Amino acid sequence: MTGPARLNDAKGPAIPKRQRVVTITGEVQKRNYTIYDLINLKGLRRLVQIMAFTPQEGAAAEAAGIDMINIRWTADRPEQAIAIRKAAPETFMTFCMPPNLVANETEALRAAFCALEAGADGIYCTWSFDFIAAMAAAGVPVMGHAGLVPRKSMWTGGLRSVGKTLAQARAIFEDLKRLEDAGAWAVECEVIPHNVMALLSRNTGLVTISLGSGAACDVQHLFSEDILGMSGTTPPRHAKSYRNFHELNEKLQRERIAAFAEYVGDVRSGAFPSPAHLVQAEHSVVTELEKAIAQNASHK
């Protein structure tokens, strides 16, 4: 499939802000995009996706107008994913599946449906093409991964760009075709040279999601940790920090310590609790209680 040479940010099919959908559990909900919309927008509008790690980040992403959210799914601890889903109830959301979660097609299907029941609109995985084909055949919306796959970096020489050589670029193209044949609808493309990615994105029917692979993809993706500057270190080359949450968190921690220390000092000096923090009963109540206690003691 050949698409336009570059994305047009100004125009594209009109998309309803919120559309009614029915989830796999039969609930009627609203979403900003459906997969149908995202596929039809390929090559026409640049969309934005983040990886969110907390409900606060999910809520902020929805409020900021982020188009798509990725979150991590852990089957034995689903609470965090469910909480993020609830925090961003109307944003298209993909659950990222751990690479070591399943060992066969049956387990892949079971895990995928479990995630869909928890609120996923789609599944992201680095599983085998056979696993992806099994899920797609069952109607599960599946997104694959191409280029640098960090947890498979032993095969590609570590955490480095993939696709600089003709052999690597052709291998990525073949991976895209295999994902298409397996029934995937989208692919995360990580740290692929931008001029190689531009050609690949125009020649695949998959919705391409760039993580460090240039502006020619259909969706730009960054981790919230990088956007917010959570680590206190320089972000990866492909990422950009828009805030310094590490510094803010360090300041908050210093303020926590200072507040706790002041509390300790007040308790030990007798400054806390003060009369302003106390509830007082009528003097007569205390007097009568004292008599009752004395009478009770005399009967023993």
Side-chain angles (χ1 to χ4, degrees):
M1 176 178 177
T2 301
R6 67 181 183 84
L7 298 178
N8 185 338
D9 294 326
K11 297 181 179 180
I15 298 271
K17 288 297 183 182
R18 295 292 183 264
Q19 302 174 72
R20 292 202 309 161
V21 298
V22 178
T23 68
I24 196 170
T25 58
E27 298 177 78
V28 178
Q29 298 182 357
K30 290 184 178 181
R31 293 289 188 273
N32 57 345
Y33 294 99
T34 65
I35 292 172
Y36 175 86
D37 301 323
L38 296 171
I39 292 173
N40 285 333
L41 281 173
K42 180 175 174 60
L44 297 174
R45 180 177 297 159
R46 184 173 291 117
L47 301 177
V48 183
Q49 175 177 277
I50 71 161
M51 170 75 83
F53 296 91
T54 67
Q56 292 86 351
E57 291 176 359
E62 183 157 294
I66 295 292
D67 298 303
M68 303 160 63
I69 299 176
N70 261 6
I71 66 173
R72 286 179 175 163
W73 168 255
T74 305
D76 60 344
R77 295 190 304 276
E79 298 84 6
Q80 184 73 351
I82 293 172
I84 299 174
R85 169 77 279 180
K86 290 181 178 178
E90 298 186 350
T91 300
F92 183 89
M93 191 173 290
T94 304
F95 284 20
C96 301
M97 313 299 278
N100 58 344
L101 181 63
V102 302
N104 55 52
E105 289 89 340
T106 300
E107 290 181 2
L109 276 172
R110 186 174 291 113
F113 280 117
C114 183
L116 292 174
E117 288 173 1
D121 297 315
I123 301 299
Y124 157 87
C125 69
T126 58
W127 298 339
S128 73
F129 297 109
D130 291 339
F131 291 9
I132 290 173
M135 289 185 288
V140 176
V142 188
M143 176 194 301
H145 195 130
L148 171 63
V149 182
R151 299 195 193 193
K152 296 181 180 179
S153 55
M154 289 294 291
W155 292 97
T156 53
L159 296 175
R160 60 175 66 182
S161 177
V162 178
K164 287 185 175 181
T165 68
L166 177 58
Q168 288 181 343
R170 291 188 66 168
I172 295 171
F173 178 68
E174 292 302 321
D175 283 346
L176 298 185
K177 291 303 176 186
R178 292 184 71 182
L179 284 170
E180 287 181 8
D181 292 342
W185 73 275
V187 58
E188 181 179 310
C189 302
E190 186 164 353
V191 198
I192 297 170
H194 72 95
N195 49 347
V196 171
M197 191 65 240
L199 182 59
L200 294 174
S201 190
R202 293 197 302 267
N203 287 278
T204 179
L206 298 169
V207 173
T208 55
I209 300 172
S210 171
L211 182 58
S213 298
C217 287
D218 304 300
V219 183
Q220 287 296 311
H221 177 47
L222 283 181
F223 280 40
S224 63
E225 292 177 337
D226 292 327
I227 296 171
L228 299 176
M230 297 288 286
S231 69
T233 60
T234 303
R237 179 176 177 174
H238 65 265
K240 181 178 179 180
S241 293
Y242 291 81
R243 293 292 185 274
N244 190 342
F245 269 51
H246 177 76
E247 183 179 294
L248 293 173
N249 287 332
E250 288 291 302
K251 181 178 180 181
L252 283 173
Q253 183 66 2
R254 291 193 297 270
E255 289 297 313
R256 287 188 190 97
I257 295 169
F260 292 162
E262 289 176 27
Y263 168 56
V264 170
D266 277 358
V267 171
R268 290 176 179 169
S269 70
F272 181 87
S274 71
H277 305 107
L278 304 177
V279 176
Q280 183 163 310
E282 294 290 337
H283 179 70
S284 59
V285 172
V286 176
T287 300
E288 291 302 317
L289 176 62
E290 187 176 21
K291 291 179 180 178
I293 291 173
Q295 187 176 16
N296 181 69
S298 66
H299 289 310
K300 292 184 178 179

